[in-house]
Amino acid sequence: MHIPKDLVELIHSSARIVALTGAGISQESGLRTFRDKLDGLWAQYKPEDLATPGAFNRNPGIVWEFYNIRRLKACEVEPNPGHLALAEMEKNSERFVLITQNVDGLHTRAGSRNVLELHGNITRVKCSRNCGIITEWEEISGSSPACPKCGAKIRPDVVWFGEMLPQGILKSAMQAARESDVFLSIGTSALVQPAASLPLMAKQNGAVIVEVNLEETPLTPLVDYFLLGKAGEVLPELVRAAWFR
Ligand code: NAD
Ligand code: ZN
């Protein structure tokens, strides 16, 4: 993959780099994106039929089963060279913020420290009545567990379709986007709001926008650099060129 020399220089010399990642970066670890069709038992469902508060109210058992399988899979796979390259970028740049829409925890396992998880984390659970209980999944047992404090249903600590994002995290993400010199949008279809508006906020404030994806997205016409390819190949190359020449 050829990475333009001026982009390499820019990454090398920028003080404030922000990266936004989506399901595409974890695809090379073996986790499916939301646009891959569900198979086997799940073929009859759309993610929208499983990842919503309505689905959980109607049938918590099936939603739990869906998340149990995804959680086991996420814990079983390893971070890939794309995740590792972003951790390396953080070590080498002055100020680096990683904003992710993924719930798989792979960025942290790859060594990234400054991570804003916009959509929660599949390894945590919380009280569906929001009484304040949030804990690691291992702490809760049973197939349809109840909150130890208020008795309401316990649910995965992820943001479902139609729900608000954790406001403090979203605020920090928007601030980081506005203050960035370079904003990288990686492996995201750039469709899910409000994450999709973060690169636009960065651009309005003068950041250079870089997109890494296997295909063009609605964001592509607005970016300064479009790097076509797998995140697990493009990102290590970018980091190597910028800091390990
Ligand atoms: P998406 O599924 O809508 O889009 C994935 C994007 O990644 C596509 O544009 C695709 O072309 C690109 N892509 C696929 N493989 C790639 C690769 N190897 N390198 C670079 N790009 C690649 O995902 P999204 O934009 O993140 O939005 C969907 C929602 O799904 C998010 O809210 C997220 O929370 C959730 N989700 C998360 C996970 C996870 O945590 N791993 C998995 C599935 C869905
Ligand atoms: Zn509770």
Side-chain angles (χ1 to χ4, degrees), residues 127 129-133 147 149-152:
C127 172
R129 204 181 281 158
N130 272 322
C131 77
I133 292 289
C147 173
K149 194 166 147 195
C150 77

Side-chain angles (χ1 to χ4, degrees), residues 132-153:
I133 292 289
I134 297 185
T135 181
E136 291 305 310
W137 168 82
E138 291 93 334
E139 308 292 318
I140 297 281
S141 60
S143 59
S144 229
C147 173
K149 194 166 147 195
C150 77
K153 287 195 286 257

Side-chain angles (χ1 to χ4, degrees), residues 22-24 26-28 31-35 70 101-104 119 187-189 192 213-215 229-231:
S26 294
Q27 187 262 348
E28 289 164 77
L31 299 182
R32 53 180 71 248
T33 70
F34 259 180
R35 304 199 316 160
R70 286 184 62 202
Q101 302 170 83
N102 296 344
V103 296
D104 54 34
H119 294 164
T188 170
S189 54
V192 182
N213 204 307
L214 291 177
E215 60 187 26
K230 292 184 175 179

